Protein backbone atom coordinates (compact mmCIF):
# COMPACT_ATOMS: atom_id res chain seq x y z
CA UNK A 1 0.00 0.00 0.00
CA UNK A 2 1.32 3.47 -0.91
CA UNK A 3 0.46 6.22 1.58
CA UNK A 4 1.11 9.89 0.91
CA UNK A 5 0.71 12.49 3.66
CA UNK A 6 0.68 16.17 2.74
CA UNK A 7 1.71 18.04 5.86
CA UNK A 8 4.66 17.52 8.18
CA UNK A 9 3.19 18.90 11.39
CA UNK A 10 0.99 17.54 14.20
CA UNK A 11 -1.69 15.76 12.14
CA UNK A 12 0.61 14.56 9.38
CA UNK A 13 3.30 13.07 11.62
CA UNK A 14 0.69 11.56 13.95
CA UNK A 15 -0.91 9.90 10.93
CA UNK A 16 2.42 8.56 9.67
CA UNK A 17 3.08 7.04 13.08
CA UNK A 18 -0.36 5.38 13.13
CA UNK A 19 0.09 4.06 9.60
CA UNK A 20 3.47 2.56 10.39
CA UNK A 21 2.11 0.92 13.54
CA UNK A 22 -0.70 -0.70 11.56
CA UNK A 23 1.17 -1.44 8.33
CA UNK A 24 4.88 -2.27 8.83
CA UNK A 25 5.41 -2.87 5.12
CA UNK A 26 3.53 0.01 3.51
CA UNK A 27 5.29 2.81 1.65
CA UNK A 28 4.86 6.18 3.42
CA UNK A 29 5.77 9.53 1.91
CA UNK A 30 5.35 12.81 3.79
CA UNK A 31 5.47 16.24 2.15
CA UNK A 32 6.27 19.42 4.09
CA UNK A 33 6.59 22.95 2.76
CA UNK A 34 9.13 23.87 5.42
CA UNK A 35 12.65 22.42 5.20
CA UNK A 36 12.67 21.30 8.84
CA UNK A 37 11.84 18.04 10.58
CA UNK A 38 8.62 17.99 12.65
CA UNK A 39 8.65 20.77 15.25
CA UNK A 40 6.25 22.31 17.75
CA UNK A 41 4.73 25.26 15.93
CA UNK A 42 2.80 26.18 19.08
CA UNK A 43 6.14 26.96 20.72
CA UNK A 44 7.32 29.56 18.22
CA UNK A 45 6.23 32.50 20.40
CA UNK A 46 8.16 30.95 23.32
CA UNK A 47 11.21 30.65 21.07
CA UNK A 48 10.79 34.27 20.01
CA UNK A 49 10.65 35.31 23.64
CA UNK A 50 13.66 33.22 24.64
CA UNK A 51 11.71 30.81 26.84
CA UNK A 52 12.84 27.78 24.84
CA UNK A 53 15.86 27.32 22.62
CA UNK A 54 15.69 26.31 18.97
CA UNK A 55 16.64 22.69 19.61
CA UNK A 56 13.76 22.27 22.04
CA UNK A 57 11.25 23.01 19.28
CA UNK A 58 11.96 19.83 17.37
CA UNK A 59 9.74 16.85 18.12
CA UNK A 60 11.35 14.54 15.56
CA UNK A 61 14.87 14.51 14.24
CA UNK A 62 15.80 13.69 10.67
CA UNK A 63 16.76 10.23 11.86
CA UNK A 64 13.15 9.52 12.82
CA UNK A 65 12.07 9.50 9.17
CA UNK A 66 14.82 7.02 8.30
CA UNK A 67 14.06 4.75 11.23
CA UNK A 68 10.34 4.70 10.46
CA UNK A 69 11.00 4.29 6.74
CA UNK A 70 9.11 7.47 5.93
CA UNK A 71 10.29 9.14 2.76
CA UNK A 72 10.38 12.86 3.58
CA UNK A 73 9.95 15.54 0.93
CA UNK A 74 10.80 18.62 3.03
CA UNK A 75 10.99 22.14 1.70
CA UNK A 76 8.69 21.10 -1.15
CA UNK A 77 5.12 22.18 -1.80
CA UNK A 78 2.37 19.85 -2.98
CA UNK A 79 1.29 21.75 -6.05
CA UNK A 80 -1.67 19.78 -7.37
CA UNK A 81 -3.67 16.61 -7.24
CA UNK A 82 -5.00 14.23 -9.89
CA UNK A 83 -7.72 12.34 -8.05
CA UNK A 84 -8.47 10.08 -11.03
CA UNK A 85 -4.88 8.88 -11.41
CA UNK A 86 -4.34 9.15 -7.65
CA UNK A 87 -1.17 11.18 -7.90
CA UNK A 88 0.17 14.26 -6.10
CA UNK A 89 2.12 16.83 -8.11
CA UNK A 90 5.08 18.44 -6.35
CA UNK A 91 6.21 21.93 -7.22
CA UNK A 92 9.44 20.55 -8.68
CA UNK A 93 7.42 18.58 -11.25
CA UNK A 94 7.58 15.16 -9.66
CA UNK A 95 4.41 13.06 -9.30
CA UNK A 96 3.85 10.85 -6.24
CA UNK A 97 1.31 8.02 -6.71
CA UNK A 98 -0.84 7.00 -3.76
CA UNK A 99 -3.37 4.41 -2.72
CA UNK A 100 -4.40 6.46 0.35
CA UNK A 101 -3.80 10.19 0.74
CA UNK A 102 -4.02 12.40 3.83
CA UNK A 103 -4.40 16.15 3.41
CA UNK A 104 -2.99 17.68 6.61
CA UNK A 105 -1.99 21.00 5.12
CA UNK A 106 -2.86 23.04 8.21
CA UNK A 107 -3.59 26.74 8.01
CA UNK A 108 -1.87 29.91 6.88
CA UNK A 109 -1.77 33.31 8.59
CA UNK A 110 -4.41 35.82 7.64
CA UNK A 111 -2.60 39.03 6.72
CA UNK A 112 -3.88 42.59 6.42
CA UNK A 113 -4.26 44.35 3.07
CA UNK A 114 -2.97 47.87 3.63
CA UNK A 115 -0.27 49.99 1.94
CA UNK A 116 3.14 48.93 3.21
CA UNK A 117 2.07 45.39 4.17
CA UNK A 118 5.00 43.94 2.18
CA UNK A 119 7.71 46.11 3.74
CA UNK A 120 10.56 44.28 5.47
CA UNK A 121 9.77 44.12 9.17
CA UNK A 122 6.14 43.04 8.70
CA UNK A 123 5.54 39.43 9.72
CA UNK A 124 2.96 36.90 10.74
CA UNK A 125 4.06 34.56 13.56
CA UNK A 126 3.26 31.03 12.46
CA UNK A 127 6.47 29.25 11.54
CA UNK A 128 10.01 28.80 12.78
CA UNK A 129 11.23 31.01 9.92
CA UNK A 130 8.92 33.81 11.08
CA UNK A 131 10.20 33.59 14.65
CA UNK A 132 13.85 33.47 13.54
CA UNK A 133 13.40 36.49 11.28
CA UNK A 134 11.78 38.54 14.06
CA UNK A 135 14.48 37.52 16.55
CA UNK A 136 17.15 38.61 14.08
CA UNK A 137 15.60 42.05 13.76
CA UNK A 138 14.27 43.05 17.15
CA UNK A 139 16.48 44.44 19.94
CA UNK A 140 15.59 45.27 23.55
CA UNK A 141 13.78 48.58 23.68
CA UNK A 142 12.71 48.53 20.03
CA UNK A 143 9.08 49.47 19.36
CA UNK A 144 6.87 46.69 18.05
CA UNK A 145 3.22 46.72 16.98
CA UNK A 146 0.96 43.68 17.15
CA UNK A 147 -2.08 43.86 14.89
CA UNK A 148 -4.93 41.87 16.41
CA UNK A 149 -6.00 41.02 19.94
CA UNK A 150 -6.96 37.37 19.52
CA UNK A 151 -5.00 34.34 20.60
CA UNK A 152 -2.41 34.76 17.86
CA UNK A 153 -1.92 38.42 18.69
CA UNK A 154 -1.65 37.76 22.41
CA UNK A 155 0.96 35.04 21.86
CA UNK A 156 2.90 37.36 19.55
CA UNK A 157 2.83 40.12 22.18
CA UNK A 158 4.07 37.65 24.76
CA UNK A 159 6.98 36.62 22.54
CA UNK A 160 7.93 40.21 21.70
CA UNK A 161 7.85 41.18 25.37
CA UNK A 162 10.20 38.30 26.09
CA UNK A 163 12.54 39.68 23.43
CA UNK A 164 12.56 43.00 25.24
CA UNK A 165 10.42 44.98 22.78
CA UNK A 166 8.07 47.83 23.70
CA UNK A 167 4.78 46.38 22.49
CA UNK A 168 1.62 48.15 21.36
CA UNK A 169 -1.38 46.00 20.45
CA UNK A 170 -3.93 47.39 18.00
CA UNK A 171 -7.34 45.71 18.27
CA UNK A 172 -10.18 46.51 15.89
CA UNK A 173 -12.91 45.17 18.18
CA UNK A 174 -13.90 46.75 21.53
CA UNK A 175 -12.09 44.04 23.52
CA UNK A 176 -9.23 41.57 23.42
CA UNK A 177 -9.78 37.82 22.96
CA UNK A 178 -13.24 38.44 21.54
CA UNK A 179 -13.56 34.87 20.21
CA UNK A 180 -13.19 33.23 23.63
CA UNK A 181 -14.17 35.80 26.27
CA UNK A 182 -17.01 38.20 26.80
CA UNK A 183 -16.45 41.77 27.93
CA UNK A 184 -16.03 41.07 31.65
CA UNK A 185 -13.41 38.37 31.20
CA UNK A 186 -11.68 40.41 28.48
CA UNK A 187 -11.30 43.40 30.81
CA UNK A 188 -9.31 41.22 33.18
CA UNK A 189 -7.19 39.85 30.32
CA UNK A 190 -6.47 43.34 29.04
CA UNK A 191 -5.50 44.52 32.50
CA UNK A 192 -3.08 41.59 32.79
CA UNK A 193 -1.53 42.46 29.42
CA UNK A 194 -1.12 46.07 30.50
CA UNK A 195 0.50 45.02 33.77
CA UNK A 196 3.03 43.12 31.66
CA UNK A 197 3.78 46.31 29.75
CA UNK A 198 1.64 45.97 26.61
CA UNK A 199 -0.13 49.14 25.50
CA UNK A 200 -3.57 48.06 24.23
CA UNK A 201 -5.48 50.25 21.77
CA UNK A 202 -9.08 49.09 21.25
CA UNK A 203 -11.50 49.98 18.45
CA UNK A 204 -8.81 51.09 16.02
CA UNK A 205 -7.35 49.69 12.79
CA UNK A 206 -4.08 49.84 10.92
CA UNK A 207 -4.61 51.70 7.63
CA UNK A 208 -0.99 51.89 6.46
CA UNK A 209 2.54 50.82 7.32
CA UNK A 210 5.18 53.37 6.37
CA UNK A 211 8.96 53.48 6.17
CA UNK A 212 11.92 53.95 3.87
CA UNK A 213 12.96 50.50 2.78
CA UNK A 214 11.50 48.86 5.91
CA UNK A 215 8.66 49.27 8.38
CA UNK A 216 9.21 52.30 10.62
CA UNK A 217 5.73 53.35 11.68
CA UNK A 218 2.11 52.22 11.67
CA UNK A 219 -0.72 54.60 10.80
CA UNK A 220 -4.08 54.01 12.49
CA UNK A 221 -7.59 54.93 11.34
CA UNK A 222 -7.77 57.31 14.29
CA UNK A 223 -4.83 59.24 12.83
CA UNK A 224 -2.29 58.05 15.38
CA UNK A 225 1.18 57.09 14.18
CA UNK A 226 3.03 54.37 16.12
CA UNK A 227 6.77 53.80 15.79
CA UNK A 228 7.45 50.19 14.81
CA UNK A 229 10.69 48.35 14.16
CA UNK A 230 8.61 45.20 13.79
CA UNK A 231 4.94 44.73 12.93
CA UNK A 232 3.46 41.33 13.72
CA UNK A 233 0.06 40.57 12.23
CA UNK A 234 -2.02 38.26 14.39
CA UNK A 235 -5.37 38.22 12.64
CA UNK A 236 -6.04 34.49 12.81
CA UNK A 237 -5.51 31.77 10.24
CA UNK A 238 -7.22 30.30 7.18
CA UNK A 239 -7.29 26.58 6.36
CA UNK A 240 -4.88 25.59 3.56
CA UNK A 241 -7.47 23.78 1.46
CA UNK A 242 -6.37 24.87 -2.02
CA UNK A 243 -5.23 21.43 -3.11
CA UNK A 244 -8.82 20.14 -2.92
CA UNK A 245 -10.48 23.39 -3.99
CA UNK A 246 -11.89 21.99 -7.22
CA UNK A 247 -13.39 18.90 -5.59
CA UNK A 248 -16.54 18.06 -3.69
CA UNK A 249 -14.45 17.77 -0.50
CA UNK A 250 -14.57 21.53 0.12
CA UNK A 251 -16.64 22.47 3.13
CA UNK A 252 -17.90 25.73 4.50
CA UNK A 253 -14.48 26.84 5.72
CA UNK A 254 -12.10 23.90 5.42
CA UNK A 255 -12.22 20.36 4.07
CA UNK A 256 -15.33 18.40 5.03
CA UNK A 257 -14.84 14.91 6.48
CA UNK A 258 -17.06 12.17 7.88
CA UNK A 259 -16.64 10.43 11.24
CA UNK A 260 -13.79 8.35 9.80
CA UNK A 261 -12.07 11.53 8.61
CA UNK A 262 -12.66 10.57 4.98
CA UNK A 263 -13.40 13.31 2.47
CA UNK A 264 -15.91 12.99 -0.36
CA UNK A 265 -13.00 12.19 -2.70
CA UNK A 266 -12.26 8.45 -2.78
CA UNK A 267 -9.14 7.38 -0.86
CA UNK A 268 -8.52 10.94 0.41
CA UNK A 269 -8.63 11.78 4.13
CA UNK A 270 -8.13 15.10 5.94
CA UNK A 271 -7.06 15.98 9.48
CA UNK A 272 -5.78 18.87 11.56
CA UNK A 273 -6.25 22.60 11.10
CA UNK A 274 -7.63 22.15 7.57
CA UNK A 275 -10.39 19.66 8.49
CA UNK A 276 -13.97 20.44 9.36
CA UNK A 277 -14.82 17.87 12.01
CA UNK A 278 -17.82 17.34 14.24
CA UNK A 279 -17.82 19.81 17.14
CA UNK A 280 -19.29 18.20 20.25
CA UNK A 281 -20.40 21.51 21.77
CA UNK A 282 -21.84 23.18 18.67
CA UNK A 283 -23.29 19.93 17.28
CA UNK A 284 -22.09 20.96 13.85
CA UNK A 285 -18.99 20.59 11.70
CA UNK A 286 -16.35 23.23 12.41
CA UNK A 287 -12.62 23.81 12.10
CA UNK A 288 -11.09 23.65 15.57
CA UNK A 289 -7.47 24.48 14.82
CA UNK A 290 -5.73 23.19 17.93
CA UNK A 291 -2.60 21.12 18.33
CA UNK A 292 -4.21 18.40 20.45
CA UNK A 293 -7.13 18.00 18.06
CA UNK A 294 -4.70 17.71 15.15
CA UNK A 295 -2.67 14.96 16.84
CA UNK A 296 -5.78 12.92 17.62
CA UNK A 297 -7.31 13.40 14.18
CA UNK A 298 -4.03 12.42 12.54
CA UNK A 299 -3.85 9.27 14.65
CA UNK A 300 -7.37 8.20 13.72
CA UNK A 301 -7.04 9.14 10.05
CA UNK A 302 -3.74 7.26 9.76
CA UNK A 303 -5.16 4.14 11.38
CA UNK A 304 -8.19 4.25 9.07
CA UNK A 305 -5.99 4.74 6.02
CA UNK A 306 -4.26 1.51 7.01
CA UNK A 307 -7.52 -0.42 7.28
CA UNK A 308 -9.03 0.35 10.68
CA UNK A 309 -12.55 1.72 11.18
CA UNK A 310 -12.04 4.15 14.04
CA UNK A 311 -14.74 6.76 14.51
CA UNK A 312 -13.61 10.24 15.55
CA UNK A 313 -15.76 11.30 18.54
CA UNK A 314 -15.57 14.97 17.64
CA UNK A 315 -13.48 17.97 18.61
CA UNK A 316 -13.83 20.81 21.08
CA UNK A 317 -12.44 24.31 20.97
CA UNK A 318 -10.16 24.57 24.02
CA UNK A 319 -7.68 27.24 24.96
CA UNK A 320 -5.37 27.77 27.88
CA UNK A 321 -3.05 30.70 28.30
CA UNK A 322 -1.22 32.62 30.98
CA UNK A 323 -1.00 36.41 30.83
CA UNK A 324 1.44 37.47 33.49
CA UNK A 325 -0.29 36.82 36.78
CA UNK A 326 -3.56 35.68 35.19
CA UNK A 327 -4.63 32.25 33.97
CA UNK A 328 -7.36 31.72 31.35
CA UNK A 329 -9.00 28.46 30.32
CA UNK A 330 -11.94 28.19 27.93
CA UNK A 331 -13.62 25.29 26.20
CA UNK A 332 -16.60 24.45 24.03
CA UNK A 333 -19.12 27.11 23.02
CA UNK A 334 -18.11 30.15 25.07
CA UNK A 335 -19.79 32.75 22.81
CA UNK A 336 -23.20 31.27 21.89
CA UNK A 337 -25.13 32.70 18.91
CA UNK A 338 -27.43 35.63 19.61
CA UNK A 339 -31.15 35.58 18.71
CA UNK A 340 -32.09 37.32 15.48
CA UNK A 341 -35.12 37.52 13.18
CA UNK A 342 -34.49 34.07 11.74
CA UNK A 343 -34.05 32.52 15.19
CA UNK A 344 -35.77 34.75 17.76
CA UNK A 345 -35.50 32.08 20.45
CA UNK A 346 -32.37 30.07 21.03
CA UNK A 347 -31.99 27.34 23.66
CA UNK A 348 -28.91 28.79 25.35
CA UNK A 349 -28.45 30.11 28.86
CA UNK A 350 -25.36 31.93 30.03
CA UNK A 351 -24.42 31.99 33.71
CA UNK A 352 -21.45 34.04 34.82
CA UNK A 353 -19.94 35.44 37.99
CA UNK A 354 -17.17 37.96 38.54
CA UNK A 355 -15.39 38.49 41.83
CA UNK A 356 -13.15 41.53 41.38
CA UNK A 357 -11.67 41.21 44.85
CA UNK A 358 -10.44 37.70 44.13
CA UNK A 359 -9.67 38.56 40.48
CA UNK A 360 -11.95 35.71 39.49
CA UNK A 361 -14.35 35.24 36.59
CA UNK A 362 -16.36 32.13 35.79
CA UNK A 363 -18.87 31.42 33.03
CA UNK A 364 -20.86 28.44 31.81
CA UNK A 365 -23.05 28.12 28.73
CA UNK A 366 -25.96 25.67 28.83
CA UNK A 367 -28.13 24.31 26.02
CA UNK A 368 -31.24 23.32 27.89
CA UNK A 369 -29.63 21.74 30.93
CA UNK A 370 -26.59 20.46 29.08
CA UNK A 371 -23.21 22.05 29.58
CA UNK A 372 -21.80 23.28 26.23
CA UNK A 373 -19.23 25.91 27.21
CA UNK A 374 -16.92 26.90 30.06
CA UNK A 375 -14.65 29.88 30.72
CA UNK A 376 -12.51 30.55 33.76
CA UNK A 377 -10.25 33.50 34.46
CA UNK A 378 -8.33 33.75 37.70
CA UNK A 379 -5.02 34.29 39.40
CA UNK A 380 -2.23 32.25 37.89
CA UNK A 381 -2.00 28.92 39.66
CA UNK A 382 -5.17 29.62 41.62
CA UNK A 383 -6.83 26.60 40.12
CA UNK A 384 -8.68 26.75 37.03
CA UNK A 385 -7.36 23.20 37.15
CA UNK A 386 -10.90 22.01 37.66
CA UNK A 387 -11.99 23.51 34.37
CA UNK A 388 -10.15 20.81 32.48
CA UNK A 389 -12.20 18.24 34.33
CA UNK A 390 -15.42 20.15 33.71
CA UNK A 391 -14.72 20.07 29.96
CA UNK A 392 -15.21 16.32 30.05
CA UNK A 393 -18.85 17.03 30.81
CA UNK A 394 -19.60 18.96 27.64
CA UNK A 395 -22.93 17.66 26.38
CA UNK A 396 -23.91 16.32 29.82
CA UNK A 397 -26.22 17.62 32.50
CA UNK A 398 -24.71 18.84 35.76
CA UNK A 399 -26.60 19.74 38.89
CA UNK A 400 -27.19 23.34 39.89
CA UNK A 401 -25.20 23.10 43.17
CA UNK A 402 -22.13 21.97 41.28
CA UNK A 403 -22.46 24.70 38.65
CA UNK A 404 -23.02 27.28 41.36
CA UNK A 405 -19.91 26.15 43.21
CA UNK A 406 -17.92 26.43 39.98
CA UNK A 407 -19.23 29.93 39.29
CA UNK A 408 -18.25 30.99 42.80
CA UNK A 409 -14.79 29.50 42.35
CA UNK A 410 -15.39 27.27 45.32
CA UNK A 411 -15.64 23.83 43.76
CA UNK A 412 -14.11 21.43 46.24
CA UNK A 413 -12.06 18.31 45.62
CA UNK A 414 -14.84 16.33 47.26
CA UNK A 415 -17.32 17.68 44.71
CA UNK A 416 -15.00 16.77 41.85
CA UNK A 417 -14.71 13.26 43.20
CA UNK A 418 -18.50 12.94 43.28
CA UNK A 419 -18.87 13.84 39.59
CA UNK A 420 -20.54 11.08 37.57
CA UNK A 421 -18.19 8.37 36.34
CA UNK A 422 -19.56 8.43 32.79
CA UNK A 423 -17.37 11.42 32.05
CA UNK A 424 -14.18 9.33 32.00
Amino acid sequence: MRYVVIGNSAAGVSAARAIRAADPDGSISIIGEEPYPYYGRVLTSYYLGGRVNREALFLAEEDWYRRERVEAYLGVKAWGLDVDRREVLLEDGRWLPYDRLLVATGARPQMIDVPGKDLPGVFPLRTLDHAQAIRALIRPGDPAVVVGGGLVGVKAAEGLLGAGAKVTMVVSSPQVLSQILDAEGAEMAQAALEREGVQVLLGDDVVAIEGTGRAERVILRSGKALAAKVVVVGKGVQPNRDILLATEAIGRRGIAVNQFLETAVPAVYAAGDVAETWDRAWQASRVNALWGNAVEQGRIAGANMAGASLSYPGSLAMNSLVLGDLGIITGGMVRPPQPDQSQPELPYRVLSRKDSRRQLYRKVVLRGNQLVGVAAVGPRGESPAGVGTLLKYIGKELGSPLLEAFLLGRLSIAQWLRLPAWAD
Side-chain angles (χ1 to χ4, degrees):
M1 185 75 77
R2 296 168 301 184
Y3 306 94
V4 172
V5 175
I6 308 177
N8 185 43
S9 193
V13 172
S14 178
R17 286 173 167 153
I19 293 168
R20 180 54 74 222
D23 184 353
D25 300 320
S27 161
I28 305 174
S29 298
I30 194 164
I31 304 164
E33 280 191 49
E34 297 178 74
Y36 310 112
Y38 174 42
Y39 69 92
R41 191 169 286 152
V42 292
L43 299 176
T44 50
S45 63
Y46 296 155
Y47 170 61
L48 169 61
R51 294 174 60 182
V52 300
N53 60 35
R54 188 177 184 280
E55 289 67 33
L57 296 178
F58 290 97
L59 305 175
E61 300 298 332
E62 292 179 6
D63 187 52
W64 175 83
Y65 299 88
R66 183 188 59 76
R67 284 188 284 106
E68 296 298 321
R69 288 169 288 119
V70 174
E71 189 168 11
Y73 294 82
L74 302 183
V76 180
K77 181 173 177 154
W79 197 256
L81 183 62
D82 187 325
V83 298
D84 296 323
R85 295 170 53 193
R86 298 195 177 184
E87 291 183 331
V88 179
L89 173 63
L90 303 183
E91 63 179 338
D92 59 11
R94 286 177 289 179
W95 288 89
L96 294 183
Y98 67 84
D99 297 305
R100 300 283 187 277
L101 172 70
L102 177 69
V103 177
T105 43
R108 59 177 177 270
Q110 190 164 296
M111 299 300 285
I112 53 174
D113 187 15
V114 299
K117 63 182 171 57
D118 296 321
L119 281 170
V122 182
F123 303 94
L125 180 54
R126 174 78 176 167
T127 66
L128 175 55
D129 282 346
H130 296 148
Q132 288 184 145
I134 297 170
R135 276 173 63 110
L137 191 59
I138 200 78
R139 294 290 179 271
D142 283 343
V145 172
V146 173
V147 186
L151 287 164
V152 177
V154 167
K155 298 296 286 184
E158 183 183 43
L160 288 165
L161 281 176
K166 294 180 180 176
V167 183
T168 301
M169 176 182 285
V170 180
V171 186
S172 56
S173 69
Q175 65 167 82
V176 299
L177 297 170
S178 58
Q179 296 299 310
I180 64 169
L181 292 176
D182 53 22
E184 287 187 300
E187 284 177 5
M188 298 171 67
Q190 180 180 340
L193 280 168
E194 291 171 340
R195 285 195 294 274
E196 289 298 293
V198 179
Q199 181 186 14
V200 180
L201 302 179
L202 300 176
D204 213 339
D205 287 305
V206 173
V207 296
I209 301 169
E210 297 180 344
T212 304
R214 65 174 181 82
E216 294 176 348
R217 74 193 70 83
V218 164
I219 308 300
L220 305 185
R221 179 166 42 80
S222 61
K224 291 179 182 172
L226 305 174
K229 178 82 170 290
V230 165
V231 180
V232 178
V233 179
K235 300 290 281 186
V237 296
Q238 293 180 325
N240 268 328
R241 60 181 192 169
D242 293 2
I243 200 159
L244 285 172
L245 206 54
T247 74
E248 61 270 38
I250 290 301
R252 189 174 58 87
R253 185 161 180 263
I255 296 174
V257 295
N258 63 14
Q259 72 270 33
F260 302 109
L261 302 177
E262 298 169 303
T263 74
V265 179
V268 178
Y269 296 69
D273 294 0
V274 74
E276 282 184 9
T277 59
W278 185 252
D279 186 301
R280 292 189 283 122
W282 286 84
Q283 294 288 290
S285 291
R286 293 169 63 89
V287 175
N288 281 323
L290 297 169
W291 189 269
N293 289 338
V295 170
E296 180 64 1
Q297 290 167 21
R299 183 186 70 80
I300 290 176
N304 289 342
M305 290 165 70
S309 295
L310 302 182
S311 182
Y312 181 57
S315 61
L316 276 180
M318 291 186 287
N319 294 286
S320 171
L321 66 159
V322 173
L323 301 178
D325 57 359
L326 200 70
I328 299 172
I329 296 180
T330 67
M333 181 194 295
V334 289
R335 299 294 301 263
Q338 297 299 306
D340 56 25
Q341 288 186 339
S342 63
Q343 291 182 295
E345 294 186 8
L346 292 171
Y348 301 109
R349 286 188 296 141
V350 175
L351 308 175
S352 63
R353 192 73 55 87
K354 184 175 182 179
D355 186 333
S356 298
R357 185 182 60 80
R358 297 166 61 200
Q359 202 183 11
L360 206 73
Y361 177 72
R362 296 285 190 267
K363 172 181 175 179
V364 296
V365 180
L366 303 169
R367 181 172 48 230
N369 292 320
Q370 292 181 343
L371 180 72
V372 294
V374 177
V377 182
R380 180 180 184 177
E382 165 267 342
S383 171
V387 180
T389 303
L390 203 62
L391 288 174
K392 295 181 180 178
Y393 293 79
I394 294 290
K396 308 293 184 184
E397 291 189 13
L398 293 177
S400 295
L402 194 144
L403 289 176
E404 184 67 16
F406 169 74
L407 291 169
L408 289 170
R410 302 190 188 284
L411 207 52
S412 67
I413 293 175
Q415 285 171 302
W416 283 121
L417 293 176
R418 287 197 296 271
L419 284 171
W422 39 251
D424 296 324

